[in-house]
Structure formats: C-alpha cells, structure tokens
Amino acid sequence: MLISTFISKPDTVSAIMLRVLLALLPGIALYVWYYGPAILVSITLASITALATEAAMLRLRNRPLKPFLGDNSALVTAWLLALSIPPLAPWWLVVVGTAFAISVAKHLYGGLGNNPFNPSMIGYAVLIISFPSHMTHWLSPHGLGQTELGFADQLAFIFGGHLPSGIKLDAVTLATPLDTLKTQLQLDRPLKEILGMPIYGALAGKGSEVVALGYILGGVYLLFKRIITWHVPAAFLGTLFVTAGIFHLVDQAHYVAPLFHLTAGAAMLGAFFILTDPISGPTTPMGKLIFAAGAGFLTYVIRVFGGFPDGVAFATLLMNICVPLIDAHTQPPVFGKKDRGAK
Amino acid sequence: MKLFPIRGGVHPEYRKEQTSEKAIVALPMPRMLYIPLQQHVGAPAEVLVSGGELVKKGQMIARSQGTISASQHAPTSGRISVVTDVAAPHPSGLPQTTIILEADGKDEWADLPEPIADPFAADLQVIRDRVAQAGIVGMGGAVFPAAVKLNLGTQYKLDILLVNGAECEPYITCDDRVMREYADEVIDGARIVARVMGAPRVVIGIELNKPQAIEAMTKAAAPFSEVEVVGVPAQYPMGYAHELILAITGRETPAGKRTAEVGVVAYNVATVRAVHHAVRFGRPLITRVVTVSGRAIREPKNILSPIGARVADLIEFCGGFSAPPAHLVNGGPMMGEPLPSLEVPVVKGTAGILALTAEEANNQPTSPCIRCGNCVTICPGGLSPIEMAAFIRKDNLETAAKLGVMDCISCGSCSWVCPSHIPLVHYFNYAKGALKEQELERRKSERVKTLAEVKTIRVEKISEAKRAAMAARKPAPAATPAAGAQPANAGEAKTASTAEEKTNA
C-alpha cells in the first residue's frame, strides 16, 4: 500500500454515505406521518434494486463486490430517487428508475466517483419523460383526501395496480401544490384564492412543507458533521428566494411569495441532499456557489415557465453539465502567486 | 499581536501528550557512531580522517566543501573504525559515505575554538565563520546550512528574524522541550543571529498548544525589547515557514522565492540554540533532541542523542517495542518518511522517530475519489490536489505543472483529509521528481544543441578559412593556410565559452 501520511482522518466513503442516509431519516419520518407508510415500500424496493444492480454491474465490470457494495453510495442514490417519485407509483416504476440510475448513469460512466450526472436525478428524468402519468400518483396528505388507503390497500395498488372497489385513484391522490398552482394560474384564478385551497398550508403544501423542514434538520446535521459545506444550500436557496422575490415584487397577483418556493417540491431535498452530491458537483468553494446559484435560478424558471411539475431535477442535471467548466475557472489562487491556478 | 489568517490547513490529533511532559534525557553513549558526510542540503563534506585515527569530541572529521555544505564533527572521543558506505536514513536506504567512530567511553573534548566574548560587539564575519565552522544546519527538517542563510542579510533588507517554534507535526515535542528547558539559550542564539543578519526584530512563533513553552520563552524574552513571543493557532502546517510568516506578518512569500524577499528569515529554535553553543562555547553541532514516540514504543521519550547513534539504540533506550509497529517513521507522521531500517543513524535533521501501531495510523484501503473537494478546501498552498492527481494519473505532467504541482509543499494535509484515503502526496512527489528530471534533461539537450550550433559555426568558419586560403593561394601561392585558420579558431573558442556560461547560468 502506498502511504502519503502515516496518520489520516478517521473517515471513509462508506461512513460519509451512511451519515447522508441517517440525515434523511427525519424527513422520511415526517413523510410517513403525513402520507402513510407507502414511501417505505418504495424506499425498500429502490434499495434492493440498487444493490442488485450494483452487484450485477460490478460483476460485469470485473470489480470486487465487497468494497463497493459496502460503500452505501447505491443506497443514497436509491433513497433520493424513491423520495423524488410518488409513493403510490407502481413497483416497476421504482425498479426501472433505480436500475437505470445505477447501471447507466453510474456504472456505464465508470462507477463510483466517475458519474458526471447525479444518478438519482437521471433516474427521475427517465421516469418523468417515459411515464408521466404514473408520476402523478402523489398521495394526498393525511386528512385532505376524500378517502384514505390503509397500508394493505397501498401495497395492493403498488404491486397489483388494484384499488379497493368503489375507490378511484383520483380520490386518494392529489396534484402537487406546485402543479395545482401552475394549472390554477393558467385558469386565471387569483393567487390569493388558489392559496386558500385546502392543500396549502402555512408556507406551501400542507404536509410537504413539514417534510421539507425534516430535510432542513437532516441538512443541518450534515453541515454540522462537515459532510456538506454551506456553499451549496446557501447559494441554491438564496438564488431561488431572490429570483422568486423579484417576480413576486413585480407582479404579486401572478407570482407566489418566495418562501413558497423554498418549502415546496424538492427545494429542500435538492439544497441539502441532491445538489450537494460531491461526485457530480464542483470541487472548489467558488465553483459550488456558482453551480448552486445556477441550479436555483433554473429551478425557478422550470417551475414557473416550464412544463414539468418541479424544476430541481432538470436544474441539477443542466448544472452538472457545466461542472468541468466551472471547476476549470474557479481554481483557488496559488500561495505566493497573484494569478489564478488554471484556466 | 494581530495575526493574519492562513489558508486551509487541517487539525489532526496532536498526540503530543505521549512525550510533551517528558524532560530531555541524554542517550548513554553508544559504542559505535555512524556519521554520514551528507546530513544537509548541498555538497557532502570532505573526509579529514581515516581508519584507525584517534579523534576527540568536537573535532572536525569532515570539512564543508563548496558554497553550500556543512562540516561534521566527532560526537565523542574514540577511534575512527572505517570510512565506508552505509545505508542512509532515507526511504531508499541507498548507501552513503559514512564515518564510523568507535567510542572510547572517555568522552574527552578536543581543543575547541575560543568562545566569542561579546557576540554583540564582535565582528560579524567572526560569528559567520564560527557558525560555519560548527557545522550547523536547519534542524527543523530543511537541513539548509545555517551559515549560508546568515549571509542573506547582505543581499536582502531584512526586518524580522522569525524563530520557528510552531512544531506543527503531531507527536513531535523536541522543540517544545528545548523551549521549555533552554529558553534562555534559544533567545540568546536568536539575538545573535538577528544581529548578524541585520534584522531589528526577533519574533518567536509558537503554536498555542504549547502553553508552557510560550510561558518559558516569554519570560526569557522579557529583558529584550526587540524580542517578541507570539502564540499562533494550532493549525497544520503552521510550522511551514511561509505559512508562519503569513500568519505573523501578513506577508505572502512569492511562489518559488525565498522568504527573505519579504524581509523575513526563519530559523528553527534548535538551530538558534546550536548557534548559541557555537558562539558562546565554541561547541560544534554534535547532538540533537529527538522525540521517540508512537504507541508501539514502550516508553516514549525526548532523547538528547549524539549525531550518528543508530535508530535502534534510541528505541532500545525507550524499552523497545511494546507492540508490533505497523510503520517506522523518520520525522513526523504528516511529512515524515518510512525508515528503511533500524540501523540508520540519527542525523542533524532527525526530529522524531515514530513507531506507529496499525490502529493509530488508520491506513484504510484506497477507494475511488468521490470529488468531495475537501483536499481543495484545506490545501494551504491554494492548489487543487484532486485535479492535479487526476492529470498525474494520466501521466499528463505538463498540465499538473500548470496547475501548480511544483508549488506543492508536500505537507500531506490533502492525504490526511481524503475520505477515500488516496495517497495524494505520493502522486505529487512523483510528479515533482519526474518534472525536475525532465527539466534537467531539457537543459542538457539545450546545452548539447548550443554546442552543436557552435560546432556548425566552427566547421563553417574552418571551411571558410580554407576557401579563403585556397583563394589566397591562387594569386599568391606563398601564403600559408594556418595564418587564416588561427583567428577563426580563437573566435570559435570564445563563442563556445560564452555559450557554456549561459547554460551554466
């Protein structure tokens, strides 16, 4: 073994990934609280698929199984993807998305550390483009739907596609708060009236805004453990806030207040867990600021002017493309040199 | 005093408590001492003794040769056994010419040069000569001949002598102990050095994790208004002179330049103490304090060791190993090098000998880089280790050089922080070596090219001369060809020597 320093920080990739999984737990707990245990089924499905795909790809690539299966990185991809798609999605949707993420987005590019794009977001993009209707099965939060499904009914629907007789899918699912806002605005309904609808809570969607708080909690843990730095969350949320704020100030009747955007959809998940993925992000502090600010701006543009229900996934992927360029132009100044390291 | 922030750095566990409270103890004189001719940067010293000769303690046994070199002295009295090749204290373990001295146990001093009565009135050249005579080199690890450094005052306008007591390497406590136990000697040596260099101020920088050393030094410095002791944050690699100077003065030494460019010269605490001994007592540098530590050492100690004692002697003095060592280190755990064997000697630059257990070393298998960027954030040199390593792996050394690999100080912060345990500094040391070699090759081929050009000119001139001679012969066959050739040859010789000067420069 080559040795550079004789001591090293007691840290490993697998421990870092494990802490990311831990940090997701508060958000997941609140998710279960508001939407029922169906999400746990998707997370389990995604985890199994991820590990199986990882093992298969490692075998195909003649790589050792043990160190890579134990690094927990496939699980992070699986959990983030599961949290990005509707909990009532059919089982094969989760499996297809995860398998694509691990096999194509991760291993075809060279496995851990070499994927230029965030694998979870690639998985999400494939699903939303290929199966848009199945990606709308968002459960209505606790207390809002016409009826609620028991866990057994949820399982029956996920694996068999059957709902209990007399219940229609529309009765148990709802369009997301971001989607509702967009469609209602297109119907020329005044913003105030839209936000008065029962699905909206204090800041954004009822339920989802609380889950977002759970993600913040996990994010603070990651910051505290120095697994992520402040640059990405601050720049992403800051830019999203400022962009939304400018539109809101100019036209309050059509553009919702910035805090809505921060707590709606995948903004918090993106700020603390998706955009902070080190592999597909820049390595320099300044690069991280630029990367996350770009993603914040794009998220807003896609949400408000685009055709997709949320913008975080595509904003992330678009900014992933720019990473080599950003890295090359944000090298820190070398000690004792006035000019920058590299161009 | 207001301090300036330094960039990056890491906070490894210092683990100095194993030896920090252990007073310096002298090693019982080993029977055999191994004194390499090269314990410093520059040319090896020239041997003055031969096998069978009797020497006294402090007698010069090898003389410095060339502008950058340092003399060696006998650490005790005895008989020169032989001058031969012995494994060097370098990872390669390559043989190096070494004087082997068999101690006679009497430890008799030779006639030492007279002490300099008042070093603050004495002629500067007398002090410079004394420091050169004593074979003193930088004892913080740079092992640059101290006397050569003393002359910097004549080339640069210096305002601060920085005495480096940062000692940022984990485990190592030799400077800490020297400052605590011999503060007056350190201060006196520092004042002498400052006078010779013409630096009006002396600043002693000590990391805040050594409060007793700061206290002792502050007390010893109190009578002297020009001396100031400054506590600096414990932030590895604070002990790297450029970082310490930046932290204390806010001056950033230009890349690839000497610190004298910004008016500061740095000396290690042990080095200025050696100057004190040379000037006040005429004693050459024949001992140094070595920290022997690590959890595999039964009884870690700070040892006053004669130069030339084998590492094995020191470890034995510490009760041997208490656990099988996973690593034997020459120096600190961050920048130290693997010891090729226990038979190699302690030299002037040996600050520490570590025997680490596998558990405390925590060497994990390398996994793929996850681009976390920690190495970029903590690099004190403002480099991008992740990018440089990527290019070096692809053997694209030119791009690595453009990214600044030659500005890497090999402090090891990136390797320490890497969660994937990638041996980054190894890559950089490899690249630095390979690039230096390429540069030498380039210079060599350039020289060959110039010589070839000169030759072409010469050949042309000769043939021209011949033609001229032929032409001259036709109308006047009496003229000799030699007359034409002579000046051409002289001209050619001159061109060649100018070309040589250029390539040498």
Side-chain angles (χ1 to χ4, degrees):
Chain A
M1 190 179 8
L2 288 175
I3 289 168
S4 312
T5 50
F6 291 90
I7 50 171
S8 58
K9 197 179 179 189
D11 217 347
T12 58
V13 171
S14 126
I16 288 176
M17 297 293 174
L18 186 68
R19 285 194 209 116
V20 175
L21 294 177
L22 276 179
L24 280 168
L25 291 180
I28 294 173
L30 289 166
Y31 205 120
V32 173
W33 179 264
Y34 277 96
Y35 298 95
I39 186 69
L40 298 178
V41 179
S42 339
I43 289 177
T44 313
L45 260 179
S47 301
I48 295 169
T49 313
L51 290 176
T53 317
E54 180 93 358
M57 292 308 287
L58 287 169
R59 283 295 286 275
L60 284 172
R61 295 177 57 222
N62 283 325
R63 297 295 150 111
L65 287 187
K66 209 177 147 222
F68 290 107
L69 275 184
D71 69 22
N72 298 326
S73 66
L75 291 179
V76 171
T77 303
W79 288 28
L80 289 176
L81 179 59
L83 289 171
S84 308
I85 60 184
L88 218 50
W91 66 270
W92 54 264
L93 197 74
V94 181
V95 171
V96 167
T98 314
F100 191 90
I102 299 287
S103 61
V104 178
K106 183 178 180 185
H107 278 283
L108 290 194
Y109 284 98
L112 180 69
N114 296 309
N115 46 291
F117 298 103
N118 186 313
S120 318
M121 293 303 102
I122 289 277
Y124 173 89
V126 165
L127 296 181
I128 196 119
I129 291 169
S130 315
F131 312 103
S133 66
H134 292 97
M135 290 288 278
T136 58
H137 295 179
W138 293 98
L139 280 168
S140 41
H142 196 55
L144 273 189
Q146 299 164 14
T147 53
E148 274 178 43
L149 290 179
F151 187 44
D153 297 334
Q154 289 181 340
L155 281 178
F157 184 76
I158 293 172
F159 288 100
H162 306 296
L163 283 172
S165 56
I167 298 183
K168 281 190 173 167
L169 193 58
D170 285 353
V172 293
T173 61
L174 273 177
T176 65
L178 275 171
D179 236 357
T180 313
L181 179 71
K182 198 185 282 179
T183 42
Q184 295 295 326
L185 279 171
Q186 275 163 3
L187 296 173
D188 268 343
R189 241 178 119 179
L191 191 59
K192 226 177 194 160
E193 207 182 303
I194 304 173
L195 291 181
M197 288 167 70
I199 65 160
Y200 292 103
L203 294 168
K206 201 169 264 178
S208 59
E209 61 188 15
V210 185
V211 175
L213 288 179
Y215 293 142
I216 297 178
L217 209 64
V220 170
Y221 167 76
L222 291 181
L223 280 169
F224 181 71
K225 284 280 173 191
R226 299 196 180 193
I227 288 171
I228 61 173
T229 58
W230 60 270
H231 303 84
V232 166
F236 173 75
L237 297 173
T239 313
L240 185 59
F241 185 90
V242 169
T243 316
I246 291 171
F247 277 94
H248 181 66
L249 280 180
V250 171
D251 185 355
Q252 301 206 0
H254 290 92
Y255 297 99
V256 71
L259 269 180
F260 179 95
H261 278 283
L262 292 194
T263 45
M268 286 301 168
L269 193 64
F272 292 103
F273 292 93
I274 296 170
L275 287 157
T276 49
D277 168 39
I279 297 166
S280 55
T283 55
T284 61
M286 177 54 90
K288 285 177 184 168
L289 290 176
I290 296 172
F291 170 81
F297 178 76
L298 286 174
T299 296
Y300 185 82
V301 171
I302 297 170
R303 273 181 178 182
V304 175
F305 305 105
F308 289 102
D310 197 351
V312 174
F314 288 101
T316 305
L317 294 174
L318 284 171
M319 290 314 292
N320 284 162
I321 300 177
C322 309
V323 164
L325 194 67
I326 294 173
D327 265 347
H329 285 273
T330 55
Q331 291 298 312
V334 174
F335 190 103
K337 281 186 184 168
K338 293 247 155 54
D339 58 335
R340 299 261 154 177
K343 279 278 131 64
Chain B
M1 185 178 191
K2 186 182 162 282
L3 291 175
F4 299 83
I6 67 167
R7 188 185 186 283
V10 290
H11 298 91
E13 270 185 55
Y14 284 95
R15 299 182 186 165
K16 288 178 188 271
E17 66 288 344
Q18 294 182 54
T19 50
S20 59
E21 300 313 313
K22 304 262 179 82
I24 300 168
V25 284
L27 181 76
M29 187 59 70
R31 211 171 60 81
M32 304 295 271
L33 293 174
Y34 303 80
I35 303 129
L37 295 183
Q38 175 138 39
Q39 305 182 28
H40 48 263
V41 175
E46 184 190 359
V47 193
L48 300 177
V49 291
S50 53
E53 208 173 320
L54 296 175
V55 294
K56 292 259 175 75
K57 182 177 185 176
Q59 180 182 334
M60 190 182 285
I61 52 176
R63 190 196 308 278
S64 81
Q65 53 173 358
T67 41
I68 299 179
S69 184
S71 302
Q72 320 293 353
H73 302 77
T76 187
S77 60
R79 195 177 64 89
I80 301 295
S81 148
V82 67
V83 180
T84 184
D85 281 356
V86 168
H90 178 270
S92 67
L94 284 173
Q96 188 188 5
T97 313
T98 301
I99 300 171
I100 303 180
L101 169 64
E102 196 181 341
D104 61 8
K106 291 183 207 148
D107 210 28
E108 271 178 308
W109 280 98
D111 291 332
L112 295 179
E114 278 299 302
I116 296 172
D118 183 2
F120 297 96
D123 183 54
L124 296 183
Q125 195 52 43
V126 172
I127 299 176
R128 283 191 198 116
D129 291 345
R130 174 60 56 85
V131 171
Q133 201 273 334
I136 301 171
V137 301
M139 292 164 79
V143 290
F144 189 80
V148 181
K149 220 166 164 182
L150 272 183
N151 291 329
L152 285 174
T154 57
Q155 303 161 39
Y156 296 93
K157 178 95 194 73
L158 305 174
D159 64 339
I160 296 177
L161 165 70
L162 182 73
V163 178
N164 190 341
E167 198 166 58
C168 61
E169 275 273 6
Y171 291 89
I172 308 296
T173 55
C174 55
D175 290 350
D176 183 11
R177 289 313 309 186
V178 165
M179 288 188 286
R180 287 201 220 177
E181 298 179 35
Y182 303 102
D184 290 326
E185 300 184 8
V186 173
I187 300 280
D188 184 63
R191 291 178 62 234
I192 296 170
V193 170
R195 174 172 177 250
V196 177
M197 293 205 298
R201 282 176 68 201
V202 176
V203 179
I204 297 160
I206 306 171
E207 275 194 354
L208 288 167
N209 58 7
K210 289 177 269 297
Q212 289 101 324
I214 295 178
E215 200 193 318
M217 293 293 283
T218 310
K219 218 172 123 198
F224 311 105
S225 59
E226 79 274 23
V227 186
E228 191 178 357
V229 177
V230 180
V232 294
Q235 182 181 0
Y236 184 88
M238 187 56 90
Y240 192 74
H242 294 213
E243 303 289 342
L244 192 58
I245 290 169
L246 177 62
I248 288 176
T249 65
R251 302 174 200 168
E252 192 170 315
T253 310
K257 293 277 165 55
R258 289 199 184 102
T259 61
E261 296 267 338
V262 293
V264 188
V265 170
Y267 271 78
N268 171 266
V269 287
T271 317
V272 293
R273 179 169 173 244
V275 170
H276 160 85
H277 284 158
V279 170
R280 297 280 188 184
F281 305 101
R283 272 185 233 150
L285 177 57
I286 50 172
T287 56
R288 73 153 297 146
V289 182
V290 181
T291 300
V292 182
S293 188
R295 299 216 176 108
I297 297 281
R298 194 174 303 278
E299 219 185 304
K301 285 186 163 96
N302 293 301
I303 300 176
L304 179 69
S305 166
I307 301 301
R310 291 173 317 145
V311 168
D313 297 331
L314 274 70
I315 290 179
E316 198 190 321
F317 185 52
C318 292
F321 297 121
S322 56
H327 303 290
L328 290 166
V329 189
N330 176 13
M334 298 295 283
M335 288 187 78
E337 291 174 330
L339 273 171
S341 91
L342 294 180
E343 299 303 310
V344 299
V346 165
V347 291
K348 293 172 182 174
T350 311
I353 300 289
L354 304 181
L356 307 177
T357 62
E359 185 199 6
E360 67 185 316
N362 181 39
N363 295 126
Q364 304 269 352
T366 299
S367 57
C369 170
I370 56 166
R371 292 174 48 80
C372 67
N374 284 350
C375 56
V376 183
T377 320
I378 56 81
C379 179
L383 303 170
S384 190
I386 181 177
E387 297 274 327
M388 298 195 303
F391 284 109
I392 294 166
R393 256 200 304 264
K394 297 262 180 273
D395 217 21
N396 185 344
L397 297 184
E398 289 69 36
T399 312
K402 260 184 220 148
L403 289 168
V405 72
M406 295 309 276
D407 295 307
C408 165
I409 59 170
S410 300
C411 70
S413 298
C414 53
S415 301
W416 180 84
V417 84
C418 180
S420 298
H421 300 271
I422 299 170
L424 290 159
V425 173
H426 250 298
Y427 286 118
F428 307 145
N429 287 344
Y430 159 76
K432 282 191 275 187
L435 283 166
K436 262 182 210 154
E437 215 164 281
Q438 280 179 13
E439 176 65 17
L440 280 180
E441 277 299 309
R442 199 184 56 77
R443 276 198 212 158
K444 207 165 127 191
S445 67
E446 234 168 52
R447 176 134 192 255
V448 170
K449 211 174 126 202
T450 356
L451 290 178
E453 273 166 15
V454 170
K455 191 184 172 194
T456 326
I457 295 170
R458 186 179 62 205
V459 169
E460 258 170 33
K461 275 195 179 158
I462 290 174
S463 51
E464 206 174 294
K466 271 186 188 159
R467 264 192 310 256
M470 293 282 274
R473 206 182 292 169
K474 269 178 190 168
T480 57
Q486 205 58 44
N489 262 341
E492 171 265 308
K494 203 171 167 224
T495 332
S497 69
T498 356
E500 198 160 325
E501 265 162 36
K502 259 184 209 160
T503 39
N504 282 343

